[in-house]
Amino acid sequence: MSLASKVKTNLQYQNLWTNVTIHQVSDLEIVSGIPPNKLSSVDEENQVEWIIPKMFSQDKLSVSEIQNWFSKILELSGDIPRRITIAIINDDSTIVYYFIHNGITKPNQN
């Protein structure tokens, strides 16, 4: 099972996302979907989220790799998202999600 398939299954059945789709762009698999609730207070309802699956044991991330992700999503959607989510998959199939913002983001007040 590919990393993107593991993330898709996790989002659909554990996190209850809808419209979860795997996109193949060159050698990169990108997952998109709609969460059941807003992920941040500044999000719009039913906002499409973009997720990049990455194995925990893979090499470190580089800025150029992250910029490439935003460019590939621009090719798919016609718009650069203000953030993407990276899905870090561990050897035991645990998945942890982190936001990666496109540029500097003002912190939210809790």
Side-chain angles (χ1 to χ4, degrees):
M1 179 181 270
S2 74
L3 295 179
S5 296
K6 289 179 183 183
V7 169
K8 179 181 179 183
T9 300
N10 178 266
L11 291 173
Q12 284 180 311
Y13 298 110
Q14 185 161 359
N15 295 302
L16 305 177
W17 284 36
T18 57
N19 299 335
V20 182
T21 307
I22 297 174
H23 308 272
Q24 184 74 42
V25 183
S26 303
D27 60 343
L28 180 64
E29 287 186 312
I30 302 172
V31 180
S32 67
I34 300 173
N37 302 309
K38 298 190 310 184
L39 300 180
S40 174
S41 60
V42 296
D43 290 347
E44 298 174 15
E45 288 290 332
N46 299 321
Q47 177 178 317
V48 173
E49 298 288 337
W50 298 94
I51 302 93
I52 306 293
K54 192 88 169 151
M55 196 68 189
F56 179 73
S57 60
Q58 287 178 335
D59 295 332
K60 295 179 182 178
L61 291 176
S62 68
V63 172
S64 61
E65 182 178 7
I66 294 170
Q67 288 175 330
N68 182 49
W69 298 343
F70 279 99
S71 297
K72 298 297 183 187
I73 293 170
L74 172 62
E75 288 177 26
L76 286 171
S77 69
D79 193 22
I80 294 180
R82 59 182 190 82
R83 73 158 187 256
I84 57 176
T85 303
I86 184 168
I88 307 288
I89 300 124
N90 199 352
D91 294 336
D92 65 358
S93 295
T94 304
I95 302 176
V96 180
Y97 298 94
Y98 293 98
F99 289 145
I100 298 178
H101 292 271
N102 187 12
I104 298 173
T105 303
K106 181 179 177 182
N108 293 333
Q109 178 120 10
N110 291 337

